[in-house]
Amino acid sequence: MALLSSHLFPFSAVHRRAPTTSTTTNLFPWNKPRKPNDTVKFLYSPLVQRHVRLDERFVTRFNVPANAQDLIHNVGATVGVLGGAYGLVSSFDDLTRRNILDQDSNSSEARYFAAFVPLVNFLRLLVNGLSLVSDQGLVKSVTRKGDPKELLRGPLYYVGILMLCAVVFWRESPIGVVSLAMMCGGDGVADIIGRRYGSIKIPYNQKKSWAGSISMFIFGCLVSIGMLYYYSALGHVEFNWENILPRVAFISVVATVVESLPITEVIDDNISVPVVTMAVAFFIFNH
């Protein structure tokens, strides 16, 4: 017990013994009288430090890798957005049941109500881009170089096109649906795939890749058809699918070619792609 207490409790009775000249002191050096500094040295002995290092190594084994942290954050953000959207829709349903709000999407006010959300984001990008307020989280998540002025270009155009399609085309015309699908689904995926696998560049534009353009065409078609099918299933529009599929494919080809052109310094993709898509779709769907 004396041995145990001397290691665990530096100020135990063993340490308060009077000095002795017996051979026991030489055999058991821990029985020597200790000064206050000896206690500090004991507490920071190599044995204790070794245990601390082992504990540190033990803890670092359970550190979450950076890619896993990103996955956790993205999943958490997705759950949060879905939860917020569900709560917002539920609140609208509750207001409708109480006859406080009319959710008739056929009314003329419905398109403006739908455009309110991108309008809020438009104003948010505008005030941050002009440095009237500072939201570093928004700047880092939306811009590529961390410059707030970038918010006044691509991101602002993007949200502006969303408002335009909601107000002008709403759900009554496939033009707005296909335009948004090519901008959001096609162009958005093209940027991701192009950065990852875009080693082979397009001859007339070294900033674009074959992988990005091909992915834009594929995902632009898929998202367009998916959204049109969704609107058709809800009964908002009716299509002859034998005619609509080749038209969507042709529109996707034109939008892909426009996105690949070296005109980014003149006009942003978030303007050129949806505007050209609207013009071509207007002509295709009306003839």
Side-chain angles (χ1 to χ4, degrees):
M1 291 299 294
L3 177 62
L4 180 61
S5 62
S6 65
H7 278 284
L8 298 180
F9 306 102
F11 297 99
S12 63
V14 176
H15 295 161
R16 292 195 294 270
R17 290 179 181 175
T20 178
T21 58
S22 65
T23 57
T24 306
T25 303
N26 298 328
L27 295 176
F28 303 97
W30 53 78
N31 287 332
K32 292 181 180 180
R34 298 182 182 275
K35 298 178 182 179
N37 291 338
D38 293 335
T39 301
V40 176
K41 291 180 181 179
F42 172 79
L43 292 174
Y44 289 89
S45 64
L47 181 62
V48 176
Q49 292 178 357
R50 190 178 302 115
H51 284 299
V52 171
R53 292 193 189 99
L54 289 174
D55 290 341
E56 289 175 352
R57 289 199 299 269
F58 179 77
V59 172
T60 54
R61 276 184 202 170
F62 294 90
N63 286 343
V64 180
N67 54 355
Q69 291 180 5
D70 293 339
L71 178 61
I72 293 173
H73 292 163
N74 291 334
V75 171
T78 302
V79 173
V81 170
L82 292 177
Y86 179 80
L88 184 64
V89 172
S90 298
S91 63
F92 287 160
D93 290 340
D94 183 65
L95 293 175
T96 302
R97 286 192 295 269
R98 298 182 182 183
N99 295 325
I100 299 176
L101 178 68
D102 184 10
Q103 292 193 71
D104 183 10
S105 58
N106 293 318
S107 63
S108 59
E109 295 82 7
R111 64 184 67 207
Y112 300 104
F113 184 78
F116 177 76
V117 173
L119 175 62
V120 172
N121 287 317
F122 184 91
L123 296 176
R124 186 185 178 196
L125 292 171
L126 186 62
V127 296
N128 279 275
L130 295 174
S131 297
L132 299 178
V133 297
S134 179
D135 187 347
Q136 292 301 317
L138 175 65
V139 174
K140 292 180 180 179
S141 62
V142 176
T143 63
R144 295 179 177 177
K145 298 180 180 179
D147 185 1
K149 293 182 180 179
E150 292 184 56
L151 300 175
L152 300 177
R153 295 190 288 272
L156 193 68
Y157 305 151
Y158 187 97
V159 179
I161 293 296
L162 289 178
M163 289 191 297
L164 178 65
C165 289
V167 173
V168 176
F169 300 107
W170 188 218
R171 66 179 194 189
E172 304 163 354
S173 171
I175 299 175
V177 174
V178 176
S179 300
L180 290 180
M182 293 306 304
M183 182 181 68
C184 302
D187 194 13
V189 175
D191 182 66
I192 298 173
I193 299 298
R195 291 175 181 272
R196 178 66 175 171
Y197 304 104
S199 57
I200 304 177
K201 304 299 182 180
I202 297 177
Y204 55 84
N205 189 357
Q206 292 299 307
K207 294 183 179 180
K208 304 292 183 178
S209 65
W210 285 109
S213 294
I214 293 173
S215 62
M216 177 173 179
F217 170 75
I218 294 175
F219 283 92
C221 279
L222 293 178
V223 175
S224 297
I225 293 172
M227 293 181 65
L228 291 175
Y229 179 81
Y230 176 73
Y231 276 63
S232 176
L234 294 176
H236 300 318
V237 290
E238 295 183 1
F239 298 115
N240 182 347
W241 290 100
E242 293 181 358
N243 295 329
I244 203 72
L245 293 179
R247 293 181 180 182
V248 170
F250 178 78
I251 295 171
S252 301
V253 170
V254 175
T256 301
V257 171
V258 171
E259 193 273 340
S260 68
L261 296 176
I263 57 174
T264 306
E265 300 298 330
V266 179
I267 183 171
D268 192 273
D269 291 347
N270 289 330
I271 294 180
S272 61
V273 171
V275 169
V276 172
T277 303
M278 289 178 193
V280 176
F282 180 83
F283 178 79
I284 292 294
F285 287 123
N286 289 282
H287 290 83

